[in-house]
Amino acid sequence: MHGFTLILYLVAFSSCAPNSPPADFTKLTGPYLGQKPPGMTAALFASGVVSTGYFEHSSPTFSPDGNSVFWGVQESDSFSNSRPIVFMERMGGVWTKPRMAPFVKQQYRYDNPFFSVDGKRIYFAAAAADEKEGGVNTMDLWYVERTAAGWSEQKKLPSPPNADGLDGQPAIAANGSLYFSSRFDKSPDGFGLYFSRFVDGAYQPPVPMDERFNILDADWTPYIAPDESFFMFCSFRKGGFGSGDLYISFKRADGSWGDVINMGDRVNGPANERFPIVTPDGKYLFFNSTRKIAGAGPNDPGNGAGDIYWIDAKVIEELRAKSE
């Protein structure tokens, strides 16, 4: 099961082509697309608009002002690029329909957008559509910058932090430090978690996170709190609820990381849970799940391809209290 999940990430996901989202959904107004806020039970987010019958392959990243949201999609025929980053923005108080991000290029495939804390950059993973290494897809870390005229052309981060092979799933702390997934030879599945400090305007050589986060089965999809006080990721380690679970670790007073804690059955289940991200206002935890919804058709949200869920971020504070 672990290797199969890795293949889903490393190669293009293959499935039937679901129907497009409704062309004329109800006008969406208010914060978070006007969706009813979740409580302490995870809820499907924006069914038929953001969570669709397609394979959503990230969680949504919201701008600090809450007026735009970006996310990644795989195998969609609603857009001219089958693996784009898409977005919505609030204009005149009303959210636009999902559109392909203006910086997306047809000759590239994309994954995992992530806003910088100040909202001036969006980081993401991308690669030329035909770029492969030894038959396995490769990716690098890129970004765009907000300008007076809109978003800039995409720019590749230098090396470091990029290296040969696959570098993806970026998460950025307020101080610019970058956490991401990359090839890791010591891991049984050859994939692990890294961080690169941003010092004097330059990224330092990436360092693997310590063994509690690595040298296990498929540790990936990192999220770092803006102040680096906690770290979340997906892992297939033993003792979980099935498939990939979300785990969290809190930073101790001495700067070391605490124990890795399973985030529990409010978040995790038998399906694959990954791509955790907390909203800029700290209110909600978003994540992606392949869980199926009873009665969902093959082209509907809840078909098991991958949908977006959210839950009150108090779940994190409850786990923090238990860790102390």
Side-chain angles (χ1 to χ4, degrees):
M1 186 66 180
H2 303 170
F4 175 70
T5 307
L6 274 170
I7 290 171
L8 292 183
Y9 180 82
L10 296 175
V11 300
F13 183 86
S14 176
S15 66
C16 60
N19 297 326
S20 302
D24 296 312
F25 53 77
T26 304
K27 285 186 178 181
L28 303 177
T29 60
Y32 298 104
L33 282 64
Q35 303 300 294
K36 179 182 178 181
M40 298 301 290
T41 299
L44 185 69
F45 179 71
S47 179
V49 180
V50 176
S51 293
T52 70
Y54 293 123
F55 180 28
E56 283 78 48
H57 195 257
S58 79
S59 285
T61 182
F62 281 86
S63 59
D65 63 9
N67 288 328
S68 60
V69 58
F70 291 73
W71 70 97
V73 180
Q74 283 195 22
E75 296 302 308
S76 168
D77 60 10
S78 285
F79 308 98
S80 57
N81 185 315
S82 65
R83 189 169 171 175
I85 291 171
V86 299
F87 81 112
M88 298 172 68
E89 57 186 341
R90 187 162 46 172
M91 303 180 67
V94 179
W95 288 91
T96 62
K97 293 180 174 65
R99 293 175 288 164
M100 198 160 64
F103 50 82
V104 166
K105 296 181 179 294
Q106 293 302 320
Q107 66 269 35
Y108 283 80
R109 49 191 168 83
Y110 296 86
D111 254 334
N112 309 117
F114 193 99
F115 262 105
S116 61
V117 173
D118 61 11
K120 295 180 179 180
R121 285 188 175 188
I122 300 174
Y123 293 83
F124 53 89
D130 60 354
E131 183 179 341
K132 292 187 177 183
E133 177 187 2
V136 177
N137 288 342
T138 63
M139 278 192 162
D140 288 303
L141 301 172
W142 298 68
Y143 67 96
V144 291
E145 294 181 296
R146 190 187 293 277
T147 71
W151 293 105
S152 71
E153 290 289 308
Q154 64 185 40
K155 304 175 184 180
K156 186 187 291 189
L157 286 172
S159 178
N162 280 314
D164 294 334
L166 192 153
D167 300 301
Q169 304 166 349
I172 314 296
N175 61 13
S177 291
L178 172 67
Y179 292 71
F180 63 102
S181 302
S182 189
R183 300 270 170 78
F184 189 52
D185 292 339
K186 292 182 179 180
S187 168
D189 282 320
F191 209 73
L193 297 163
Y194 288 76
F195 67 94
S196 175
R197 296 294 183 200
F198 192 66
V199 180
D200 296 329
Y203 280 104
Q204 305 303 298
V207 177
M209 297 194 71
D210 68 42
E211 291 188 9
R212 75 192 69 194
F213 306 108
N214 277 323
I215 318 182
L216 295 163
D217 292 337
D219 295 311
W220 54 11
T221 73
Y223 171 80
I224 188 67
D227 61 359
E228 296 182 290
S229 62
F230 64 90
F231 179 75
M232 293 185 290
F233 63 105
C234 170
S235 180
F236 289 81
R237 62 190 62 200
K238 295 178 181 179
F241 290 85
S243 195
D245 281 0
L246 292 182
Y247 290 80
I248 192 167
S249 175
F250 297 94
K251 189 164 283 187
R252 299 184 177 117
D254 64 2
S256 64
W257 287 108
D259 293 337
V260 171
I261 304 169
N262 188 294
M263 295 192 70
D265 60 5
R266 288 176 173 174
V267 173
N268 295 313
N272 188 12
E273 278 75 44
R274 51 186 175 165
F275 303 119
I277 190 169
V278 177
T279 54
D281 58 15
K283 290 182 177 180
Y284 306 111
L285 165 65
F286 279 88
F287 62 94
N288 191 290
S289 178
T290 60
R291 63 190 64 178
K292 293 185 178 182
I293 297 175
N299 300 330
D300 298 332
N303 61 4
D307 292 303
I308 292 168
Y309 285 77
W310 60 332
I311 189 171
D312 195 307
K314 290 177 183 176
V315 67
I316 294 173
E317 296 311 311
E318 290 183 359
L319 290 167
R320 190 196 301 272
K322 292 179 181 179
S323 72
E324 295 174 351

